[in-house]
């Protein structure tokens, strides 16, 4: 099981920097890791429907009605990162929009599948950890080692790691079905 500090130490090791013992340390390394960790984690969570960070919920309708465009407003969960799917799936007439921490639509109730802000590192997939550590390392490379070349090299490694992580994660379930439209059904 990796902790936040373990993930940051993987990143620090990648750039040849010394380890830290806590994100609350007063060292430059710890301060930068503390600044970067949750930001990079949340960016990475937003980039793929990670199995370990997926939840389903029925949203609570608010008492408010949008000024125009939709008839219903629903409160998103406090740990919301992004919507993956709704209970309406491929229903072509269903439309919604996210505005701030609300989901707007014309339904009287709605259930969503969403990515949540996963903070329990014991639930993280190993490939997610690798990618997160490389992302942090790429940001650390310039501020700690002052090397744009190293930063670019590690960023490219992180990009490859992300592709692999997505591939492995996507293999843990049936393929998702995508909405068919006239545009995708056109044959030349």
């Amino acid at each position: 099981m990796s902790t936040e500090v373990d993930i940051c130490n993987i990143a620090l090791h990648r750039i040849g920097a010394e380890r830290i013992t806590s994100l609350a340390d007063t060292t430059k390394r710890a301060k930068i890791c503390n600044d970067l960790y949750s930001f990079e984690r949340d960016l990475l969570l937003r980039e793929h429907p990670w199995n370990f960070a997926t939840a389903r919920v029925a949203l609570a309708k608010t008492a408010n009605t949008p000024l125009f465009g939709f008839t219903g407003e629903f409160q998103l969960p406090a740990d919301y990162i992004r919507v993956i799917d709704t209970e309406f799936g491929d229903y072509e007439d269903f439309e919604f929009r996210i505005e701030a921490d609300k989901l707007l639509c014309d339904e009287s109730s709605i259930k969503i599948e969403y990515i949540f802000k996963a903070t329990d590192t014991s639930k993280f997939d190993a490939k997610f950890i690798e990618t997160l550590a490389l992302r942090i390392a790429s940001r650390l490379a310039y501020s700690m080692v002052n090397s744009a070349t190293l930063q670019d090299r590690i960023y490219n490694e992180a990009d490859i790691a992300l592709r692999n992580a997505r591939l492995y994660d996507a293999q843990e379930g049936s393929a998702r079905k995508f909405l068919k439209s006239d545009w995708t059904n056109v044959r030349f």
Side-chain angles (χ1 to χ4, degrees), residues 105-123:
C105 68
D106 290 330
E107 303 299 323
S108 59
S109 66
I110 186 165
K111 297 173 187 163
I112 65 167
E113 179 182 12
Y114 75 105
I115 296 294
F116 64 88
K117 188 178 290 198
T119 58
D120 182 353
T121 58
S122 70
K123 306 285 188 212

Side-chain angles (χ1 to χ4, degrees), residues 81-121:
I81 295 280
R82 77 176 175 103
V83 171
I84 299 171
D85 201 1
T86 70
E87 67 183 299
F88 301 105
D90 288 348
Y91 181 55
E92 291 185 29
D93 293 333
F94 175 69
E95 293 182 11
F96 72 95
R97 173 161 297 144
I98 302 297
E99 291 184 1
D101 62 343
K102 307 291 189 288
L103 182 145
L104 309 180
C105 68
D106 290 330
E107 303 299 323
S108 59
S109 66
I110 186 165
K111 297 173 187 163
I112 65 167
E113 179 182 12
Y114 75 105
I115 296 294
F116 64 88
K117 188 178 290 198
T119 58
D120 182 353
T121 58

Side-chain angles (χ1 to χ4, degrees), residues 38-51:
S38 59
F39 175 75
E40 287 295 330
R41 179 202 60 216
D42 292 352
L43 277 177
L44 192 54
L45 285 169
R46 190 159 175 77
E47 291 186 29
H48 178 75
W50 304 101
N51 294 322

